[in-house]
Amino acid sequence: IAALAGGTATSADVLEIPATGGFFQGTTANATADYNAGCDQGGQPDKGAPEQLLKITLPAQKRMILDMLGSSYSTLLDVRKGPDCPGTEVPLACAVGYYAQRSFLDLTLDAGAYFIQIDGFAGVSGPWFLDVRVVDP
């Protein structure tokens, strides 16, 4: 388990995820709001809720499953394509989890660098968990 304690979501603070995936945890409660997300609720202040960024570099096309089950708040998970931080939102790769199941994405992504934005829906923040599974498509 790798932990990301909090703070800003700037490029200098990005936690690297191994290309094989893993289980991660952190909190956005003491983070800052630096980036918008396409699937957030309308009418939010600019940049929405506080978030944290993680980065994964895929050596080839892979299927990536992202699951935030166990997080304590209504999560928002947004995958962005690099190489530059924070990247550009990948179409259909933003998910909100308002219920106990939390955010979940099952994506097939080409080789390259991706940033995973751990965020909150409608301005909320708190402790989160993220299970990242990377397999061949």
Side-chain angles (χ1 to χ4, degrees):
I1 297 175
L4 188 60
T8 64
T10 63
S11 298
D13 300 317
V14 173
L15 175 71
E16 287 273 345
I17 296 174
T20 55
F23 187 78
F24 305 89
Q25 66 182 42
T27 183
T28 58
N30 59 348
T32 58
D34 295 307
Y35 309 109
N36 288 311
C39 63
D40 203 355
Q41 181 174 350
Q44 294 301 302
D46 187 37
K47 300 181 181 156
E51 73 274 322
Q52 293 178 309
L53 291 177
L54 293 86
K55 179 181 180 184
I56 187 167
T57 302
L58 301 176
Q61 186 182 67
K62 295 288 183 180
R63 179 179 177 200
M64 189 165 61
I65 300 165
L66 305 160
D67 189 353
M68 294 192 74
L69 183 66
S71 298
S72 71
Y73 63 102
S74 295
T75 57
L76 187 153
L77 185 59
D78 193 14
V79 177
R80 300 166 164 272
K81 176 83 168 106
D84 297 324
C85 184
T88 304
E89 286 185 291
V90 173
L92 305 175
C94 190
V96 173
Y98 343 84
Y99 305 109
Q101 291 82 11
R102 303 301 176 211
S103 299
F104 179 89
L105 288 168
D106 186 343
L107 306 168
T108 299
L109 299 170
D110 291 330
Y114 293 88
F115 294 91
I116 300 170
Q117 181 177 333
I118 306 292
D119 211 327
F121 180 68
V124 298
S125 62
W128 55 265
F129 296 102
L130 178 66
D131 190 7
V132 180
R133 306 282 175 122
V134 181
V135 295
D136 289 332

